[in-house]
Amino acid sequence: MAPQDIADTALARFRQELTGEAITPGDKGYDEARAVFNGMIDRRPSVIAQCETQADVARAIRFGRDQELEMAVRGGGHSVAGMSLTDGGIVIDLRRMHTVIVDAGSRAARIGGGATMSDLDRATQPYDLATTGGRASTTGVGGFTLGGGSGWLERKYGLACDNLIAVELVTADGSTVHASEDENQELFWALHGGGGNFGVATSITLQLHELPAMSMVMLVFRPEAGPQVLQAFRDFGESAPDEAGGGCIYLTGPPEPFVPEQLVGELMLVALVTYAGREAEAREVTEPLLRLGHEGEVIAELPYAELQCMLDDPPGLRNYWSAEYLGSFPDEAVEVFCSHASAMPVPSNSQHILFPVGGAVARGRADYPVPWRASPWAVHPFGIWDSPMDDERGKRWVRDVRADFATWSSGTVYLNFIGQEGRERVMSSFGTDNYKRLAAVKAEYDPDNVFRLNHNIQPASPNGA
């Protein structure tokens, strides 16, 4: 629907009712308000409803439905496919709803639907508490958690959704529901990986854990050392304690003191170990990696909130990502992984990443719709570049990595790591039985598929009809 198709009286009434602000094309700040993390996405919504309250969200949903507008929901705006933005529709923008309330006694945090990881981590840091968050501080907590939630602390504390205590949700008819272990249990189950399919999460409550110390060991290697380093990191990851997370990452050498001059602006390899504990313990645990002959290093104890910011990329660059979760990572897979590094756009902000999973992730509840938790390894080609001229090359690199890891793929993937890759990819990532169950929950709370700008679950009855 074009902006002029919305009746002036309806829009005026909506603006008056909204506690927040309704921004339309031509208004000051419109272009800033519609910008998302991925610079490839350039869409022009008819209305951006910058909500300040749960009631605002309900009003925006009802207005969008009355005006027959496609509906997008924006928290952090990190969807690589741009699903937090729509052409001609309405964006329910939650960014003003970013309050985090920490209850140190019960070790829980109630988090506004528009809060980012930085909002959460900086609120919990003074209490030496934390929970599994994304690997970038600007990621939205809501979409991250409801999609499953993979991060540096997952091997110790499980996925973000494993720490979910409760969700306040505004559904497609504008009503509010509370989901927890005791209320609306089937919806609560679906929110452990089913994403934004069932409504707008205006607040979520997460379990927190004691984290008095956080450390990191980051070792820099020349790219040709890849096979040796990857094999050593694989062996390390398969026996490492739950406190150890991290990954092996090919990237462009940044102009930082720990990077040798000859690797600045060039392809290099980093072995990163994040450790939920003291620096001395991290050094002891990573001793096998420290013997490999690295070219540069950062070994430090630092606040978790600071670690979360270290790999942040600036918004507005061009993003194209995918992933494969693997059943195994043998020597042949090591060679394939290393061979793809040379095709990555360099120099750029792109990263070619191998993550260990396992630990508390693998031990988590098997009945949640996140079957990828059983995979011990994940490969994540994370394409980010500046120029449209690199689009074809960058996309081809991401797709080639995916294709060449099909041999070891577990057939399921963390959907927050990928863009729009088709309905079959979505269904396989939930699993057949889980998908049918999710579709039944979708039919109950969003039978008209109002919330379809996501990794979509089609509403259906339990028997699939």
Side-chain angles (χ1 to χ4, degrees):
M1 178 179 289
Q4 62 269 22
D5 292 335
I6 301 175
D8 291 342
T9 53
L11 181 58
R13 185 167 56 251
F14 178 57
R15 288 185 193 271
Q16 187 176 24
E17 293 174 347
L18 207 64
T19 306
E21 186 176 2
I23 299 175
T24 58
D27 288 345
K28 182 179 179 181
Y30 174 77
D31 285 333
E32 181 181 357
R34 71 183 180 90
V36 291
F37 182 75
N38 187 356
M40 285 187 184
I41 309 301
D42 183 19
R43 296 175 186 154
R44 300 184 63 83
S46 293
V47 184
I48 301 171
Q50 295 188 323
C51 300
E52 291 190 359
T53 65
Q54 190 175 74
D56 275 354
V57 172
R59 292 184 187 106
I61 291 172
R62 293 189 185 107
F63 174 78
R65 297 202 70 176
D66 288 345
Q67 299 299 315
E68 299 182 350
L69 298 172
E70 183 177 63
M71 205 169 298
V73 182
R74 175 177 182 149
H78 267 249
S79 163
V80 68
M83 292 183 285
S84 47
L85 204 58
T86 170
D87 262 327
I90 182 171
V91 175
I92 299 174
D93 188 339
L94 304 176
R95 283 178 288 178
R96 296 188 181 192
M97 301 172 65
H98 61 263
T99 301
V100 178
I101 300 172
V102 177
D103 184 337
S106 64
R107 295 181 188 170
R110 182 182 173 93
I111 305 147
T116 64
M117 288 301 156
S118 182
D119 294 323
L120 173 59
D121 296 336
R122 295 193 184 282
T124 59
Q125 189 78 58
Y127 303 96
D128 288 336
L129 296 172
T131 195
T132 301
R135 295 174 176 90
S137 68
T138 53
T139 301
V141 178
F144 167 80
T145 302
L146 302 186
S150 169
W152 300 128
L153 294 177
E154 65 186 4
R155 284 171 50 85
K156 179 66 174 175
Y157 300 127
L159 300 172
C161 72
D162 293 333
N163 293 283
L164 191 60
I165 297 173
V167 182
E168 289 281 348
L169 203 72
V170 182
T171 60
D173 63 0
S175 61
T176 300
V177 297
H178 184 270
S180 68
E181 288 283 4
D182 300 319
E183 297 181 75
N184 299 301
Q185 290 99 330
E186 191 69 359
L187 174 61
F188 189 60
W189 170 84
L191 293 171
H192 288 74
N197 272 281
F198 314 102
V200 181
T202 53
S203 77
I204 65 173
T205 303
L206 291 175
Q207 188 70 58
L208 304 176
H209 306 271
E210 288 188 2
L211 188 68
M214 190 74 195
S215 302
M216 64 172 292
V217 175
M218 184 164 61
L219 308 177
V220 176
F221 298 88
R222 294 176 180 271
E224 53 267 27
Q228 176 195 8
V229 174
L230 264 292
Q231 287 173 355
F233 190 88
R234 176 199 61 197
D235 296 344
F236 163 79
E238 289 176 350
S239 60
D242 291 352
E243 287 80 4
C248 265
I249 311 168
Y250 280 101
L251 71 163
T252 300
E256 297 288 348
F258 64 89
V259 178
E261 184 177 351
Q262 66 272 21
L263 292 178
V264 173
E266 303 293 334
L267 183 68
M268 72 178 200
L269 176 63
V270 164
L272 171 66
V273 177
T274 57
Y275 189 81
R278 299 292 178 188
E279 179 184 331
E281 298 167 4
R283 286 180 179 271
E284 181 178 355
V285 166
T286 58
E287 196 269 339
L289 301 178
L290 291 168
R291 295 198 308 260
L292 293 175
H294 52 281
E295 303 278 333
E297 68 178 39
V298 177
I299 304 176
E301 191 172 306
L302 72 169
Y304 173 66
E306 297 302 318
L307 172 64
Q308 287 285 73
C309 300
M310 289 191 64
L311 293 179
D312 282 359
D313 284 300
L317 297 178
R318 304 178 74 78
N319 284 248
Y320 190 83
W321 327 327
S322 191
E324 286 294 342
Y325 274 63
L326 312 178
S328 63
F329 193 67
D331 287 350
E332 185 182 356
V334 168
E335 294 293 339
V336 170
F337 183 85
C338 295
S339 70
H340 278 287
S342 61
M344 185 174 74
V346 174
S348 76
N349 291 65
S350 299
Q351 300 173 31
H352 185 31
I353 311 169
L354 172 76
F355 289 127
V357 190
V361 178
R363 295 193 300 271
R365 283 182 51 171
D367 64 320
Y368 285 151
V370 284
W372 43 270
R373 71 158 74 243
S375 303
W377 295 97
V379 168
H380 184 26
F382 190 74
I384 310 181
W385 52 87
D386 183 51
S387 172
M389 295 180 65
D390 286 327
D391 284 358
E392 182 179 350
R393 172 190 175 194
K395 290 180 178 182
R396 183 171 62 249
W397 167 66
V398 171
R399 291 167 180 158
D400 287 348
V401 172
R402 256 207 72 199
D404 283 355
F405 272 91
T407 299
W408 302 284
S409 173
S410 63
T412 184
V413 68
Y414 174 39
L415 291 170
N416 282 354
F417 272 175
I418 72 172
Q420 293 282 39
E421 296 183 4
R423 186 163 183 254
E424 291 301 317
R425 180 85 149 142
V426 173
M427 294 176 71
S428 67
S429 293
F430 288 126
T432 301
D433 292 342
N434 284 333
Y435 187 86
K436 289 179 179 178
R437 188 176 170 187
L438 289 165
V441 179
K442 176 77 169 180
E444 180 177 355
Y445 291 95
D446 184 17
D448 299 321
N449 204 12
V450 171
F451 302 113
R452 58 183 177 272
L453 292 184
N454 44 45
H455 292 296
N456 196 238
I457 298 163
Q458 298 288 324
S461 61
N463 62 9

